[in-house]
Amino acid sequence: MSAPRPAGPGAAPPEWSGLLPVDKPSGMTSHDVVERARRRLHMRAVGHLGTLDPGASGLLVLVLGTATRCALVWQGGRKTYAGTARFGVVTDTQDTDGRVLARSEARPTEAQVRATADAMLGEQDQIPPMVSAIKHEGERLHALARRGITVEREPRRVRVDAWRWLGFTADEATFEVDCSGGTYVRTLVHDLGARLGCGATLAALRRTRSEPFTLLQSCRLEALDTADPATLLAQQGVPLDSALEVLPALRLEPAAATAIGQGQTPRVEPGTAPLGAGPRSVVFRDASGHALALGELRREADGVRARPSVVFPWAVVVGKGA
């Protein structure tokens, strides 16, 4: 492998990989934020951990560089949202951007809202909305919905841990909700309205937490346009070595580290790292703690072997140079 090109002016440091929490404004898609980061940081490999609807704002965690190959490690964490439910209206998108399907003059009492929301806590099956990024036979549901096509959707298991009601007016109520990754808050509000018998739609939404990050750790989107990329990543970014601390780690002896870089499966002493927990269950690190690969530990006939599934580019260089 050739040495990485030096970073040019206004570019991210070469080989920088990790996470960048961003405060997404409403009115733009998550993909818009990704594209802006690609342009401003001069990085091709940029993704995100969990879509925010265009009308929603708040925490969007970007995945940069080689970290894009590890995205599954951080997906699925608990989320917290602040939102507003509007009663007496149902739309085809389950938020106020959609076409109104029904209206009602009935309004629930504060006590009815609280009691009904409490009954919706815990695990439940949720049918994703048609206007969503989920794919059906290779096409996004929202693309089908724009053509007036509705398809059967498989329910998804989600969990609502807490629903805190902050304020009530004649037509709306503000709330915070703690839920599992993959939960559609607008569907929660829609289902709440159906249970109340008056209908409801989501009027505003802001993500304030995406485990383990909060909005307090995020940078404003404008910083991508105005800050020096290297400085921005140094101050707001979470390097891959640190981001992978959510997983158990195994430090490798030099010979085993070289073998990992060469695509081999060396025998190791697992210590406290789990066995057979999946292809991204363990971080293999060198003696200094630098992450080399993600993989799995398996007990085989001749002992426990480290089986890498994602080997980072710098580990491959180390292996070939040994």
Side-chain angles (χ1 to χ4, degrees):
M1 175 182 290
S2 59
R5 291 184 296 106
E15 298 286 11
W16 198 95
S17 295
L19 308 179
L20 180 64
V22 172
D23 185 353
K24 182 188 94 67
S26 59
M28 64 189 307
T29 68
S30 299
H31 183 69
D32 291 337
V33 178
V34 167
E35 284 301 311
R36 185 175 295 192
R38 283 182 179 139
R39 292 194 304 271
R40 286 294 298 130
L41 300 177
H42 298 192
M43 298 179 74
R44 287 175 294 184
V46 180
H48 64 74
L49 303 176
T51 300
L52 270 178
D53 290 338
S57 66
L59 185 60
L60 182 71
V61 182
L62 300 184
V63 194
L64 309 177
T66 298
T68 55
R69 300 173 61 191
C70 314
L72 288 175
V73 170
W74 306 289
Q75 288 177 336
R78 316 310 275 179
K79 317 290 184 187
T80 298
Y81 296 89
T84 302
R86 182 171 298 167
F87 300 110
V89 61
V90 177
T91 72
D92 59 354
T93 60
Q94 301 176 348
D95 60 22
T96 52
D97 291 334
R99 178 172 57 91
V100 175
L101 301 177
R103 292 187 184 276
S104 171
E105 295 302 317
R107 294 294 183 270
T109 65
E110 178 178 337
Q112 288 173 327
V113 172
R114 291 183 183 276
T116 304
D118 284 347
M120 296 174 65
L121 298 178
E123 289 194 353
Q124 56 198 272
D125 288 328
Q126 185 182 75
I127 298 177
M130 272 302 301
V131 181
S132 66
I134 295 173
K135 287 187 176 181
H136 173 77
E137 296 181 352
E139 192 167 6
R140 303 285 184 187
L141 288 180
H142 60 71
L144 296 173
R146 282 197 298 270
R147 302 202 302 272
I149 300 172
T150 300
V151 298
E152 203 71 23
R153 283 100 66 203
E154 288 292 324
R156 299 166 61 163
R157 199 69 174 165
V158 301
R159 181 178 178 85
V160 180
D161 292 317
W163 212 336
R164 297 177 292 278
W165 295 92
L166 308 178
F168 291 83
T169 65
D171 298 317
E172 295 183 343
T174 56
F175 62 86
E176 287 182 340
V177 63
D178 301 332
C179 55
S180 60
T183 302
Y184 285 91
V185 179
R186 53 196 160 103
T187 300
L188 284 179
V189 170
H190 172 87
D191 293 347
L192 174 70
R195 292 194 184 201
L196 288 167
C198 63
T201 194
L202 186 68
L205 188 68
R206 182 163 173 79
R207 185 155 63 199
T208 60
R209 181 178 69 111
S210 182
E211 203 173 46
F213 300 104
T214 70
L215 268 176
L216 294 176
Q217 298 162 284
S218 67
C219 66
R220 295 184 62 82
L221 187 65
E222 293 84 353
L224 282 173
D225 297 323
T226 59
D228 170 68
T231 302
L232 177 67
L233 293 175
Q235 294 177 345
Q236 305 277 172
V238 182
L240 184 60
D241 278 341
S242 300
L244 289 176
E245 288 176 356
V246 297
L247 291 179
L250 180 65
R251 293 206 180 196
L252 302 174
E253 298 294 333
T258 297
I260 288 286
Q262 294 173 332
Q264 299 173 11
T265 58
R267 281 187 298 175
V268 296
E269 291 295 331
T272 59
L275 302 181
R280 287 175 173 79
S281 59
V282 178
V283 185
F284 299 124
R285 298 181 182 269
D286 63 18
S288 66
H290 191 44
L292 302 177
L294 293 184
E296 181 179 25
L297 293 175
R298 293 186 191 172
R299 187 173 298 281
E300 301 182 5
D302 60 348
V304 174
R305 287 191 174 269
R307 290 196 167 272
S309 59
V310 178
V311 179
F312 303 141
W314 47 87
V316 174
V317 173
V318 168
K320 289 182 177 179

